[in-house]
Amino acid sequence: MKVLFLNSTHEGVISKGIYADLMHHFVLQGHHVTIAYSTDKPEHAISPEYINDKTRYIASKSAKMTKNRNMIQKGLATVMFDSIFCRTIREELHNESFDLVLYSTPPVTIVKTLKYLKSRNPDAFFYLMLKDIFPQNAIDLNIMRKNGPVYHYFKRQERKLYELSDFIGTMSPANLQYILNNNPQLNAKTGILPNTITLEDNNYSSLTKEDLGFPDSMKLLFYGGNLGLPQSVPFILECFEKIENRNDVGLVIVGSGAMDYLITDYISSKKPTNLFYSKHKPFNEYMNVMNVCDIGLIFLDYRFTIPNFPQRLLSYMAQKLPVVCATDRSSDMGRIAEENKFGYYVPSNDSNLWLKTINTILSDEVHIKELGENGYNYLVDNYTSTQAYDTIISQMEAIKYGNKK
Protein backbone atom coordinates (compact mmCIF):
# COMPACT_ATOMS: atom_id res chain seq x y z
CA MET A 1 0.00 0.00 0.00
CA LYS A 2 1.21 3.51 -0.82
CA VAL A 3 0.72 5.88 2.11
CA LEU A 4 0.95 9.67 2.18
CA PHE A 5 1.22 11.51 5.50
CA LEU A 6 0.71 15.28 5.64
CA ASN A 7 1.90 17.36 8.58
CA SER A 8 2.13 21.08 9.27
CA THR A 9 5.47 20.89 11.10
CA HIS A 10 8.74 18.95 11.08
CA GLU A 11 8.47 18.23 14.83
CA GLY A 12 7.73 14.60 15.56
CA VAL A 13 8.04 13.74 11.86
CA ILE A 14 11.74 13.72 11.03
CA SER A 15 12.83 12.61 14.50
CA LYS A 16 11.37 10.57 17.37
CA GLY A 17 7.70 11.33 17.95
CA ILE A 18 4.18 9.98 17.62
CA TYR A 19 4.01 10.49 13.84
CA ALA A 20 7.54 9.33 13.00
CA ASP A 21 6.99 6.18 15.06
CA LEU A 22 3.65 5.44 13.40
CA MET A 23 4.94 6.02 9.87
CA HIS A 24 7.98 3.87 10.58
CA HIS A 25 5.65 1.09 11.69
CA PHE A 26 3.80 1.36 8.37
CA VAL A 27 7.17 0.89 6.66
CA LEU A 28 7.96 -2.15 8.81
CA GLN A 29 4.66 -3.67 7.64
CA GLY A 30 5.84 -3.39 4.03
CA HIS A 31 4.09 -0.18 2.95
CA HIS A 32 5.71 2.62 0.96
CA VAL A 33 5.42 5.92 2.82
CA THR A 34 5.72 9.52 1.64
CA ILE A 35 5.86 12.19 4.37
CA ALA A 36 5.13 15.76 3.32
CA TYR A 37 5.69 18.32 6.04
CA SER A 38 5.83 22.07 6.39
CA THR A 39 8.66 23.86 8.15
CA ASP A 40 10.03 27.32 8.68
CA LYS A 41 13.43 25.72 9.33
CA PRO A 42 14.38 23.61 6.29
CA GLU A 43 17.88 23.02 7.67
CA HIS A 44 16.56 20.38 10.09
CA ALA A 45 18.09 17.00 9.25
CA ILE A 46 16.13 13.76 9.23
CA SER A 47 17.14 11.29 11.93
CA PRO A 48 19.16 8.42 10.40
CA GLU A 49 16.93 5.70 11.84
CA TYR A 50 14.01 6.94 9.73
CA ILE A 51 15.90 7.00 6.42
CA ASN A 52 15.20 3.89 4.34
CA ASP A 53 14.26 2.88 0.82
CA LYS A 54 10.52 2.85 1.59
CA THR A 55 10.20 6.36 3.03
CA ARG A 56 10.40 9.62 1.14
CA TYR A 57 10.38 13.08 2.74
CA ILE A 58 9.09 16.25 1.09
CA ALA A 59 9.57 19.59 2.87
CA SER A 60 7.41 22.64 2.18
CA LYS A 61 8.64 26.05 3.29
CA SER A 62 6.21 27.90 5.52
CA ALA A 63 5.93 30.95 7.71
CA LYS A 64 6.22 30.42 11.46
CA MET A 65 2.97 28.86 12.71
CA THR A 66 4.16 27.36 16.00
CA LYS A 67 5.84 28.94 19.02
CA ASN A 68 5.05 32.40 17.70
CA ARG A 69 4.00 35.06 20.22
CA ASN A 70 2.63 37.32 17.48
CA MET A 71 -0.97 36.16 17.03
CA ILE A 72 -1.42 38.15 13.80
CA GLN A 73 1.66 36.58 12.20
CA LYS A 74 0.60 33.15 13.42
CA GLY A 75 -2.92 33.61 12.04
CA LEU A 76 -1.66 34.77 8.64
CA ALA A 77 0.79 31.86 8.50
CA THR A 78 -2.06 29.45 9.24
CA VAL A 79 -4.23 30.92 6.48
CA MET A 80 -1.35 30.90 3.95
CA PHE A 81 -0.27 27.37 4.83
CA ASP A 82 -2.76 25.54 2.62
CA SER A 83 -1.90 27.34 -0.63
CA ILE A 84 1.84 26.96 -0.12
CA PHE A 85 1.55 23.34 0.95
CA CYS A 86 -0.77 22.47 -1.94
CA ARG A 87 1.68 24.01 -4.42
CA THR A 88 4.46 21.81 -3.04
CA ILE A 89 2.25 18.72 -3.31
CA ARG A 90 1.35 19.60 -6.93
CA GLU A 91 5.00 20.07 -7.87
CA GLU A 92 6.35 16.99 -6.13
CA LEU A 93 3.52 14.46 -6.35
CA HIS A 94 1.55 15.25 -9.52
CA ASN A 95 2.42 11.86 -11.01
CA GLU A 96 1.91 9.90 -7.78
CA SER A 97 -1.08 7.90 -6.58
CA PHE A 98 -1.82 6.78 -3.03
CA ASP A 99 -4.05 4.26 -1.27
CA LEU A 100 -4.15 5.95 2.14
CA VAL A 101 -3.75 9.64 3.00
CA LEU A 102 -3.17 10.46 6.67
CA TYR A 103 -3.12 13.97 8.11
CA SER A 104 -3.47 15.64 11.49
CA THR A 105 -4.69 18.86 13.04
CA PRO A 106 -3.52 21.52 13.62
CA PRO A 107 -4.16 23.24 11.29
CA VAL A 108 -7.69 22.94 9.92
CA THR A 109 -6.55 24.97 6.92
CA ILE A 110 -5.56 22.03 4.73
CA VAL A 111 -8.77 21.82 2.71
CA LYS A 112 -7.33 22.95 -0.64
CA THR A 113 -4.57 20.35 -0.38
CA LEU A 114 -7.03 17.57 0.42
CA LYS A 115 -9.35 18.53 -2.44
CA TYR A 116 -6.44 18.38 -4.86
CA LEU A 117 -5.31 15.00 -3.56
CA LYS A 118 -8.86 13.63 -3.72
CA SER A 119 -9.13 14.70 -7.35
CA ARG A 120 -5.89 12.88 -8.14
CA ASN A 121 -6.59 9.86 -5.90
CA PRO A 122 -10.34 9.16 -6.10
CA ASP A 123 -9.99 5.68 -4.60
CA ALA A 124 -7.71 6.68 -1.71
CA PHE A 125 -8.88 6.57 1.91
CA PHE A 126 -8.55 9.91 3.71
CA TYR A 127 -7.97 9.60 7.47
CA LEU A 128 -7.89 12.59 9.84
CA MET A 129 -5.94 12.14 13.07
CA LEU A 130 -7.66 14.81 15.14
CA LYS A 131 -5.24 16.31 17.68
CA ASP A 132 -6.66 19.82 17.92
CA ILE A 133 -10.22 21.17 17.86
CA PHE A 134 -10.01 24.58 16.26
CA PRO A 135 -11.31 27.29 16.37
CA GLN A 136 -13.01 26.40 19.68
CA ASN A 137 -9.67 26.16 21.51
CA ALA A 138 -8.92 29.74 20.46
CA ILE A 139 -12.32 30.84 21.75
CA ASP A 140 -11.63 29.14 25.08
CA LEU A 141 -8.38 31.06 25.52
CA ASN A 142 -9.87 34.39 24.39
CA ILE A 143 -7.59 34.50 21.36
CA MET A 144 -10.53 34.78 19.01
CA ARG A 145 -14.02 36.28 19.31
CA LYS A 146 -16.87 33.87 18.75
CA ASN A 147 -19.15 34.72 15.80
CA GLY A 148 -16.67 37.21 14.38
CA PRO A 149 -15.56 36.98 10.72
CA VAL A 150 -12.27 35.24 11.59
CA TYR A 151 -14.12 32.65 13.65
CA HIS A 152 -16.60 31.95 10.85
CA TYR A 153 -13.75 31.53 8.33
CA PHE A 154 -12.01 28.91 10.45
CA LYS A 155 -15.29 27.23 11.38
CA ARG A 156 -16.04 26.74 7.68
CA GLN A 157 -12.58 25.26 7.21
CA GLU A 158 -13.20 22.89 10.11
CA ARG A 159 -16.52 21.69 8.66
CA LYS A 160 -15.01 21.16 5.21
CA LEU A 161 -12.10 19.25 6.75
CA TYR A 162 -14.48 16.86 8.49
CA GLU A 163 -16.59 16.46 5.34
CA LEU A 164 -13.54 15.60 3.20
CA SER A 165 -12.33 12.95 5.65
CA ASP A 166 -13.41 9.33 5.23
CA PHE A 167 -12.66 8.70 8.89
CA ILE A 168 -11.77 10.82 11.93
CA GLY A 169 -9.66 9.35 14.72
CA THR A 170 -9.97 11.15 18.06
CA MET A 171 -7.53 10.91 20.98
CA SER A 172 -9.76 9.73 23.85
CA PRO A 173 -13.34 8.87 24.82
CA ALA A 174 -14.01 12.47 25.95
CA ASN A 175 -12.52 13.76 22.70
CA LEU A 176 -14.80 11.47 20.71
CA GLN A 177 -17.89 12.44 22.69
CA TYR A 178 -17.17 16.15 22.22
CA ILE A 179 -16.92 15.76 18.45
CA LEU A 180 -20.12 13.73 18.22
CA ASN A 181 -22.05 16.07 20.52
CA ASN A 182 -21.17 18.97 18.25
CA ASN A 183 -21.20 17.06 14.94
CA PRO A 184 -23.75 14.21 15.20
CA GLN A 185 -23.63 13.73 11.43
CA LEU A 186 -20.09 12.32 11.82
CA ASN A 187 -21.16 9.37 13.98
CA ALA A 188 -20.63 6.72 11.29
CA LYS A 189 -17.09 7.79 10.50
CA THR A 190 -15.58 8.79 13.84
CA GLY A 191 -13.74 6.66 16.40
CA ILE A 192 -10.84 6.63 18.83
CA LEU A 193 -7.18 6.67 17.78
CA PRO A 194 -5.03 7.46 20.83
CA ASN A 195 -1.61 9.06 20.68
CA THR A 196 0.96 6.27 20.52
CA ILE A 197 4.71 5.66 20.48
CA THR A 198 7.12 2.85 19.75
CA LEU A 199 8.78 1.60 22.92
CA GLU A 200 12.54 1.29 22.86
CA ASP A 201 15.19 0.01 25.21
CA ASN A 202 16.08 2.52 27.90
CA ASN A 203 19.67 3.25 26.84
CA TYR A 204 19.86 6.78 28.12
CA SER A 205 23.04 8.23 29.58
CA SER A 206 24.23 8.25 33.16
CA LEU A 207 23.19 11.84 33.74
CA THR A 208 22.68 12.51 37.45
CA LYS A 209 20.61 14.95 39.47
CA GLU A 210 23.86 16.61 40.49
CA ASP A 211 24.56 17.33 36.80
CA LEU A 212 21.41 19.48 36.87
CA GLY A 213 22.53 21.27 40.03
CA PHE A 214 20.47 19.29 42.53
CA PRO A 215 21.53 16.98 45.37
CA ASP A 216 21.00 13.30 44.59
CA SER A 217 18.52 13.01 47.47
CA MET A 218 16.14 15.61 46.04
CA LYS A 219 12.93 14.44 44.36
CA LEU A 220 12.46 16.06 40.96
CA LEU A 221 9.23 16.97 39.20
CA PHE A 222 9.49 17.08 35.41
CA TYR A 223 7.59 19.08 32.82
CA GLY A 224 8.61 18.71 29.19
CA GLY A 225 7.18 20.13 26.00
CA ASN A 226 5.38 23.22 24.75
CA LEU A 227 5.23 26.38 26.83
CA GLY A 228 2.44 28.30 25.14
CA LEU A 229 -0.96 29.67 26.07
CA PRO A 230 -2.62 26.21 26.27
CA GLN A 231 -0.15 25.11 28.97
CA SER A 232 -1.01 27.99 31.34
CA VAL A 233 2.58 28.92 32.18
CA PRO A 234 1.46 31.37 34.91
CA PHE A 235 -0.18 28.43 36.70
CA ILE A 236 3.01 26.36 36.31
CA LEU A 237 4.87 29.14 38.11
CA GLU A 238 2.13 29.43 40.72
CA CYS A 239 2.57 25.73 41.47
CA PHE A 240 6.33 26.10 41.62
CA GLU A 241 5.99 28.87 44.17
CA LYS A 242 4.38 26.31 46.48
CA ILE A 243 7.68 24.37 46.56
CA GLU A 244 10.12 27.21 45.90
CA ASN A 245 13.46 26.84 47.67
CA ARG A 246 12.49 23.59 49.38
CA ASN A 247 15.49 21.32 49.84
CA ASP A 248 13.60 18.06 49.29
CA VAL A 249 11.86 18.68 45.94
CA GLY A 250 12.69 20.59 42.77
CA LEU A 251 11.19 21.32 39.37
CA VAL A 252 12.80 20.55 36.00
CA ILE A 253 11.36 22.16 32.86
CA VAL A 254 12.56 21.34 29.36
CA GLY A 255 10.69 23.03 26.54
CA SER A 256 9.96 26.17 24.62
CA GLY A 257 7.08 28.14 23.21
CA ALA A 258 5.42 31.51 22.95
CA MET A 259 5.23 31.90 26.74
CA ASP A 260 8.64 30.53 27.75
CA TYR A 261 9.85 34.06 28.48
CA LEU A 262 7.76 33.93 31.66
CA ILE A 263 10.03 31.13 32.89
CA THR A 264 13.27 32.91 32.05
CA ASP A 265 12.01 36.20 33.50
CA TYR A 266 11.02 34.43 36.72
CA ILE A 267 14.43 32.80 37.04
CA SER A 268 16.20 36.10 36.38
CA SER A 269 14.22 37.97 39.01
CA LYS A 270 13.69 35.30 41.71
CA LYS A 271 16.82 33.18 41.24
CA PRO A 272 15.21 30.05 42.72
CA THR A 273 17.55 27.32 43.91
CA ASN A 274 15.36 24.36 43.02
CA LEU A 275 14.27 25.17 39.47
CA PHE A 276 16.13 23.95 36.37
CA TYR A 277 15.08 25.22 32.95
CA SER A 278 16.38 24.36 29.50
CA LYS A 279 15.03 25.17 26.07
CA HIS A 280 13.93 22.43 23.70
CA LYS A 281 16.47 19.57 23.49
CA PRO A 282 17.01 16.76 20.95
CA PHE A 283 15.05 13.65 21.89
CA ASN A 284 17.88 11.69 23.51
CA GLU A 285 19.02 14.66 25.59
CA TYR A 286 15.43 15.33 26.59
CA MET A 287 15.01 11.74 27.73
CA ASN A 288 18.34 11.83 29.58
CA VAL A 289 17.03 14.69 31.72
CA MET A 290 13.64 13.06 32.27
CA ASN A 291 15.35 9.83 33.26
CA VAL A 292 16.67 11.35 36.52
CA CYS A 293 13.27 12.76 37.54
CA ASP A 294 10.61 11.20 39.75
CA ILE A 295 7.18 12.59 38.73
CA GLY A 296 5.85 13.76 35.36
CA LEU A 297 3.64 16.84 35.12
CA ILE A 298 0.84 17.78 32.72
CA PHE A 299 -0.53 21.32 32.56
CA LEU A 300 -3.52 22.57 30.55
CA ASP A 301 -5.34 25.88 30.88
CA TYR A 302 -8.41 25.63 33.10
CA ARG A 303 -10.57 27.53 30.59
CA PHE A 304 -10.56 24.80 27.97
CA THR A 305 -13.95 23.34 27.07
CA ILE A 306 -12.41 20.95 24.55
CA PRO A 307 -10.86 17.72 25.91
CA ASN A 308 -7.15 17.87 25.09
CA PHE A 309 -4.85 14.87 25.56
CA PRO A 310 -1.17 15.97 25.39
CA GLN A 311 1.22 13.43 23.87
CA ARG A 312 3.94 14.15 26.46
CA LEU A 313 2.06 11.78 28.76
CA LEU A 314 3.45 8.86 26.74
CA SER A 315 7.12 9.58 27.44
CA TYR A 316 6.36 9.89 31.17
CA MET A 317 4.66 6.50 31.12
CA ALA A 318 7.51 4.98 29.12
CA GLN A 319 9.94 6.16 31.83
CA LYS A 320 7.66 4.80 34.57
CA LEU A 321 6.99 8.21 36.07
CA PRO A 322 3.79 8.78 38.07
CA VAL A 323 1.84 11.63 36.47
CA VAL A 324 -0.02 14.57 37.96
CA CYS A 325 -2.47 15.99 35.42
CA ALA A 326 -3.36 19.60 36.19
CA THR A 327 -6.01 20.18 33.54
CA ASP A 328 -9.39 21.65 32.77
CA ARG A 329 -12.53 19.70 33.63
CA SER A 330 -13.15 18.65 30.02
CA SER A 331 -10.01 16.56 29.57
CA ASP A 332 -10.31 12.91 30.58
CA MET A 333 -6.55 12.41 30.90
CA GLY A 334 -6.54 12.77 34.69
CA ARG A 335 -9.57 10.51 35.04
CA ILE A 336 -7.90 7.81 32.93
CA ALA A 337 -4.73 8.13 35.04
CA GLU A 338 -6.67 7.75 38.28
CA GLU A 339 -8.89 4.90 37.06
CA ASN A 340 -5.82 2.95 35.95
CA LYS A 341 -3.73 3.92 38.98
CA PHE A 342 -0.82 5.62 37.25
CA GLY A 343 -1.47 9.19 38.31
CA TYR A 344 -3.78 11.88 39.63
CA TYR A 345 -6.07 14.63 38.38
CA VAL A 346 -5.91 18.18 39.76
CA PRO A 347 -7.97 21.14 38.50
CA SER A 348 -5.56 23.59 36.90
CA ASN A 349 -6.78 26.47 39.01
CA ASP A 350 -6.01 24.93 42.40
CA SER A 351 -2.32 25.10 43.26
CA ASN A 352 -3.02 24.11 46.87
CA LEU A 353 -4.53 20.79 45.80
CA TRP A 354 -1.65 20.37 43.36
CA LEU A 355 0.82 20.72 46.24
CA LYS A 356 -1.16 18.32 48.42
CA THR A 357 -1.15 15.75 45.61
CA ILE A 358 2.60 16.11 45.06
CA ASN A 359 3.29 15.70 48.78
CA THR A 360 1.06 12.61 48.95
CA ILE A 361 2.95 10.90 46.14
CA LEU A 362 6.38 11.85 47.48
CA SER A 363 5.57 10.53 50.95
CA ASP A 364 5.53 6.90 49.80
CA GLU A 365 8.42 5.44 47.79
CA VAL A 366 6.55 2.19 47.20
CA HIS A 367 3.55 4.11 45.86
CA ILE A 368 5.79 6.04 43.45
CA LYS A 369 7.09 2.79 42.03
CA GLU A 370 3.63 1.21 41.80
CA LEU A 371 2.22 4.21 39.93
CA GLY A 372 5.15 4.15 37.51
CA GLU A 373 4.82 0.43 36.81
CA ASN A 374 1.06 0.77 36.30
CA GLY A 375 1.61 3.57 33.81
CA TYR A 376 4.17 1.60 31.84
CA ASN A 377 1.90 -1.44 31.68
CA TYR A 378 -1.05 0.68 30.56
CA LEU A 379 1.12 2.21 27.84
CA VAL A 380 2.15 -1.24 26.60
CA ASP A 381 -1.47 -2.37 26.52
CA ASN A 382 -3.00 0.74 24.93
CA TYR A 383 -0.62 3.33 23.48
CA THR A 384 1.86 1.69 21.11
CA SER A 385 2.41 2.31 17.39
CA THR A 386 1.46 -1.29 16.67
CA GLN A 387 -1.97 -0.73 18.17
CA ALA A 388 -2.43 2.57 16.29
CA TYR A 389 -1.53 0.88 13.00
CA ASP A 390 -3.96 -1.99 13.65
CA THR A 391 -6.69 0.50 14.60
CA ILE A 392 -6.26 2.58 11.43
CA ILE A 393 -6.29 -0.48 9.17
CA SER A 394 -9.34 -1.91 10.97
CA GLN A 395 -11.28 1.36 10.80
CA MET A 396 -10.38 1.85 7.15
CA GLU A 397 -11.48 -1.67 6.20
CA ALA A 398 -14.73 -1.31 8.15
CA ILE A 399 -15.65 1.82 6.18
CA LYS A 400 -14.46 0.59 2.78
CA TYR A 401 -15.71 -2.98 2.94
CA GLY A 402 -18.22 -3.00 5.80
CA ASN A 403 -21.24 -2.86 3.53
CA LYS A 404 -19.90 -5.70 1.40
CA LYS A 405 -19.43 -8.18 4.22
Side-chain angles (χ1 to χ4, degrees), residues 125-142:
F125 192 82
F126 283 70
Y127 191 112
L128 168 60
M129 297 184 284
L130 189 69
K131 310 298 183 185
D132 184 60
I133 300 174
F134 187 84
Q136 184 57 48
N137 60 355
I139 300 296
D140 291 345
L141 299 181
N142 295 324

Side-chain angles (χ1 to χ4, degrees), residues 192-236:
I192 296 176
L193 179 72
N195 293 329
T196 60
I197 57 172
T198 299
L199 288 169
E200 299 175 344
D201 293 335
N202 189 338
N203 294 321
Y204 305 115
S205 74
S206 56
L207 190 76
T208 66
K209 293 180 179 181
E210 292 179 349
D211 293 329
L212 301 179
F214 301 111
D216 190 58
S217 60
M218 182 177 280
K219 296 297 184 183
L220 296 182
L221 317 177
F222 181 83
Y223 175 81
N226 292 334
L227 291 166
L229 283 174
Q231 288 72 44
S232 189
V233 176
F235 183 73
I236 295 177

Side-chain angles (χ1 to χ4, degrees), residues 130-131 133 170-179 181 191-195 298-302 304-311 313 317 323-348 378 383:
L130 189 69
K131 310 298 183 185
I133 300 174
T170 63
M171 294 182 290
S172 73
N175 208 246
L176 173 62
Q177 196 58 54
Y178 181 92
I179 290 296
N181 286 345
I192 296 176
L193 179 72
N195 293 329
I298 299 288
F299 290 101
L300 286 172
D301 194 290
Y302 188 74
F304 274 126
T305 63
I306 60 169
N308 293 294
F309 209 95
Q311 60 178 283
L313 173 71
M317 297 169 78
V323 296
V324 176
C325 305
T327 74
D328 52 86
R329 292 178 178 176
S330 298
S331 174
D332 55 351
M333 176 178 284
R335 183 168 67 251
I336 290 172
E338 289 190 343
E339 289 175 353
N340 295 281
K341 296 180 172 55
F342 63 83
Y344 293 90
Y345 161 71
V346 176
S348 54
Y378 192 82
Y383 296 152

Side-chain angles (χ1 to χ4, degrees), residues 54-100:
K54 289 186 178 180
T55 306
R56 177 172 49 158
Y57 293 87
I58 297 171
S60 175
K61 186 71 170 67
S62 72
K64 191 175 179 63
M65 286 194 293
T66 60
K67 300 178 181 178
N68 190 341
R69 289 168 59 183
N70 189 313
M71 289 296 119
I72 296 176
Q73 288 182 359
K74 186 172 183 176
L76 289 173
T78 302
V79 172
M80 293 167 56
F81 161 76
D82 198 14
S83 294
I84 298 171
F85 199 56
C86 187
R87 184 165 62 244
T88 301
I89 297 298
R90 286 175 183 269
E91 292 172 354
E92 299 289 341
L93 300 176
H94 61 280
N95 288 324
E96 298 282 342
S97 61
F98 297 95
D99 304 294
L100 172 62

Side-chain angles (χ1 to χ4, degrees), residues 69 227 233 257-266 277 279:
R69 289 168 59 183
L227 291 166
V233 176
M259 305 300 288
D260 59 18
Y261 71 95
L262 294 176
I263 306 288
T264 54
D265 287 353
Y266 184 92
Y277 172 62
K279 291 274 191 178

Side-chain angles (χ1 to χ4, degrees), residues 11-56:
E11 293 183 2
V13 172
I14 62 175
S15 59
K16 178 71 175 177
I18 60 173
Y19 300 127
D21 283 1
L22 179 57
M23 293 304 102
H24 190 55
H25 192 78
F26 268 90
V27 170
L28 293 178
Q29 303 310 303
H31 305 293
H32 290 264
V33 174
T34 297
I35 298 175
Y37 62 95
S38 181
T39 179
D40 62 310
K41 297 178 179 179
E43 70 275 8
H44 282 290
I46 298 166
S47 294
E49 67 266 29
Y50 295 118
I51 297 176
N52 54 71
D53 60 0
K54 289 186 178 180
T55 306
R56 177 172 49 158

